[in-house]
Structures are given as C-alpha cells and as structure tokens.
Amino acid sequence: MTGSYFSPPQSGPSRRSMLLAGLGTALSLPFLSACSGFDTSGAAAGAGSVGFLSTQFTPVEEKQRYEAVLKKFVKVPVAYNSVANNVFASTVQSQEEAGDVRLSLLGGLHGDLAPLAKSLDDVDYLLRELSGSGFNKDILALTKVGGSTSKYVPWMQATYLVAVNKKALEWLPSGVDVNDLSYEDYLAWAKAAKKGAGRPVFGMPAGPKGLHHRFYQGFLLPSFTGGQITTFRSPDAVTAWNYMRELWDNMAPASTNYDAMQEPLARGEVLVAWDHVARLVGAPAAKPDDWLMVPAPRGPKGRGYMLIVAGVALPQRGLERDRAEQVIRSLMEPATQIETLRSNAFFPVIQTELPTDLAGAIALEAAAVRRQQRSSGALLALPPVGVGAKDGEVSQIFKNCFQEICLNSSSVQSVLDKQAAQLNTILKALAVPCWAPDPVSPGTKCEVA
C-alpha cells in the first residue's frame, strides 16, 4: 500500500467540508407504486381527527405497525395515510392551489418536504419548545431547507453501516480500531482477509437492485473529495475511483448479484459488508454475539456518511392545527421514538437512552449509528436533492462509473469526464441547487465543475 490514495493531489481545488441543505429520497424497502384504495384528500380523517399524509411505511405490514404505534402513544385520533412520493407532492400542491387544504400533518423524507417548503408553515416555535429533546445540530440545519426558518420537525432517521462477522477480525491489521477505520485500513483489511481466507470475504450490494450507488454518492466521494457533484470529476475523484477499483479487486465477485447484504452475510458467503441498516439487520438475527456493526471508513476529507432523515410538517391552512401540533409533540417522546425503532427500524432523532431489551441486531445498529454520526470528522451527505423522478437517472451515472471503472477497467478520468457531461445535462434541465456536502446556495444551479 503506497498511501497515494490518501494524499490528494496538490493541484486539486480546495473544498468546503460541510454545508447542509437539500433533499434525499433513499429508502431500502419498496414503496407501493400507487395509492389505489386510499383517500389522499384528508377527508377520510373525519372531524376532530388529524389527517396525516406520509411517504413513509407504505408496505402494508409497516403501515399497520406504525398505526399501532400512533394508537398507543398519541392521545388524539390520527388517520395515517401512506402514499408514494409523487402522489404526496401532487396532493399537497393541488390542495394548496385549490385553496382547499384538507390535511393536518405531513410526513416524509427531507427530499419529500424540501420542494414543498413554500406550502409549509414555519415550525421554529415548535422546535424551541422541543429544544430539550437534543436534536442533532446537522439535522436541525437541514430543517431550514436552505432558508432562514425551519419547515419541519425531525421525525426519525436511518443511514448505512458496515456489518462485520467477528471471524473477519482475525485479519484486521494490527493496531487498527474497527470502530474507527480509515479507507486505507479498510483496503488493507480486505486484502489480508482475501489472502487469509483463500477467497474474497468483503462484499457490497452491487446487484441490479442494490444500493451501491449510495456508497459512491454519500461515502466514497465525500470522504475523498468533500463533495458529491461539484467535485465529481476532480483530481480527488480520480483518486477515489482508483481506490474503488483496487477495493473491488478484493471483494467477492458475486457482489454484482447481491441486492441486499444481509442474506450473503448470514450464509457466510461474505464476512464484511456495507449496506443500508434495514438491509443488514437480518444478518445478526440468529447469533448477534457473532457480529459487530461499525461506522463507515473515513477518508482524506472526513468520514462521509449518508443520512436519511424524515420530518413532520404543517401544511399552510391545514386542518386541526392544535391537534396536529399535539401529534408532533407525541412523536418526539422517547417512548414513541423507541417504539418506532422496534417496529420499523427507523432510529430516534432525539437524545434518549435506548432500552437494554432491544433485539440484538437493532441494538448493534443503534450504537453504530450514533458512533458514526458523532465521530470526529463526520461529513454529512444527502441523496440527490430536488431531482424527483430523475433520481434514477442521476444514480445511474454513479453506477455507470462503477461499471466502466471497476468492471471494464476503463480510464478513470475519461469515464468521469463522459459521465460528468451526462450528469450536467440532467442537472441543467432540473435547475436545482446543490445538496450536502457540496456548497449549498439557494438560487444557484448545481453542476459539475
């Protein structure tokens, strides 16, 4: 290991390490594709009920579990209706344009709410009231969605971690702290494990439905370049992708078939893997004592990590305002946050002691989520901002880079230049600001430098 990956070229431009705003639309579990059979108007809530329209927990089982949480911990009647992202946005916008808002409360990912900021009431007064909850300062910054006032109250969060079968610790380089890995450490470990086991035992979800593009967007590029879009084809990005090519050479080739890592981890096909928390939780289920969950590695620019944050918001001229505010207060109670973690594996956004009887896998993840978020040099990144239905096209650009660089051994700079042109074509049509960790300037169009 020469260390060349970890000494960015002096000719590369300097970048700000963290700026917060934008939107994110990554969830590991599938959304229902339509809202057939559901009333999205809010009318079904009935007089005195809080009509709660949300993009979260759309699978029937998740929705039912969350409805049970609301019934147990919220003392006012709530009609919870979960719909797809596009239905959510069109419903809010059409009701506002018609001057007939029938909803009381909105819930969604940061990326669902940010484009609707003009349709949402300020909630600074609620955040002041809830200031003792201990919200993370980075998450609070996001609630302003690039403006001066907060447009939603943090609701819950998720992220991505590294799962480690303790068998792999045999090959961890001497003196390396598994809870504070650098990318250099991670590569050295993958190499040693491949040699020691006689086969690659590191893996990643690079299958057709895998989330490996979020690794490049939220972890690799921020950690090496300090950005995601503006630095896309910079000298630092070339360094990052050269690193990724060498890391891939020491990963299980079957990773191109893995959509979620918990199954190959549970089978022992791989021993160390990065993935979304919801796609790792099944691996330690049978024998949690055999496993660790640890933060993603840190790079020259910091420990890039992608945050999936959801919030609750008040639509302008919404119904049952007093009761909607009461629901928000109830959602911030420790018992409600913990029950949400138990039922649907979304983590608390408030500071609270976690119970000792959490399922083993959830407890492992909860500790690692906090460790990653609070670690020195933590660099928050978001999924693509403001891109809506184009998220798939933007993400495909990053997948194309992986395909060409890691699988086809193409020239890194030429690949990045070509893909940067395609990315800029998409971004030009969208005309949206950048998102964390790139510099965020409302009114300025995001583009690759």
Side-chain angles (χ1 to χ4, degrees), residues 111-123:
D112 302 323
L113 298 173
L116 301 173
K118 293 181 180 179
S119 301
L120 307 176
D121 275 334
D122 295 344
V123 292

Side-chain angles (χ1 to χ4, degrees), residues 45-46 48-52 76-80 104-105 319-320 323-325 327:
S49 292
V50 173
F52 190 170
V76 298
V78 179
Y80 186 76
S104 306
L105 189 62
L319 302 179
E320 301 292 344
R323 291 192 172 201
E325 292 175 356
V327 173

Side-chain angles (χ1 to χ4, degrees), residues 69-90:
V69 173
L70 294 173
K71 185 176 181 180
K72 182 176 181 180
F73 294 102
V74 178
K75 304 306 179 186
V76 298
V78 179
Y80 186 76
N81 188 13
S82 52
V83 297
N85 314 55
N86 60 330
V87 176
F88 178 83
S90 62

Side-chain angles (χ1 to χ4, degrees), residues 274-422:
W274 168 98
D275 207 344
H276 190 286
V277 288
R279 296 184 173 199
L280 291 176
V281 72
K287 297 180 178 180
D289 290 343
D290 293 348
W291 294 85
L292 298 173
M293 294 285 183
V294 304
R298 52 182 165 78
K301 301 294 186 180
R303 192 186 306 278
Y305 76 98
M306 183 170 279
L307 178 68
I308 311 302
V309 60
V312 282
L314 297 168
Q316 292 183 0
R317 297 181 297 281
L319 302 179
E320 301 292 344
R321 177 54 51 89
D322 289 345
R323 291 192 172 201
E325 292 175 356
Q326 188 174 342
V327 173
I328 292 176
R329 295 183 186 98
S330 297
L331 295 180
M332 298 308 113
E333 290 291 329
T336 315
Q337 294 265 305
I338 289 169
E339 194 66 21
T340 302
L341 173 60
R342 289 186 192 276
S343 62
N344 282 336
F346 262 83
F347 292 82
V349 288
I350 65 170
Q351 293 298 322
T352 182
E353 290 296 321
L354 297 178
T356 57
D357 62 343
L358 285 173
I362 293 291
L364 289 172
E365 288 191 339
V369 166
R370 288 189 172 181
R371 192 178 293 117
Q372 178 168 274
Q373 195 170 63
R374 297 176 184 178
S375 63
S376 175
L379 179 58
L380 183 150
L382 293 172
V385 172
V387 301
K390 295 288 186 178
D391 181 71
E393 293 181 30
V394 173
S395 294
Q396 186 61 46
I397 297 293
F398 293 85
K399 294 178 182 179
N400 292 345
C401 291
F402 168 75
Q403 175 75 31
E404 291 300 318
I405 294 168
C406 297
L407 302 185
N408 297 342
S409 300
S410 300
S411 164
V412 174
Q413 188 68 69
S414 62
V415 169
L416 295 184
D417 289 342
K418 179 181 178 180
Q419 295 301 319
Q422 296 184 29

Side-chain angles (χ1 to χ4, degrees), residues 124-143:
D124 286 339
Y125 68 100
L126 276 172
L127 287 172
R128 285 194 295 270
E129 180 184 332
L130 296 166
S131 61
S133 298
F135 295 117
N136 177 276
K137 62 180 177 61
D138 293 338
I139 293 178
L140 283 179
L142 291 176
T143 67

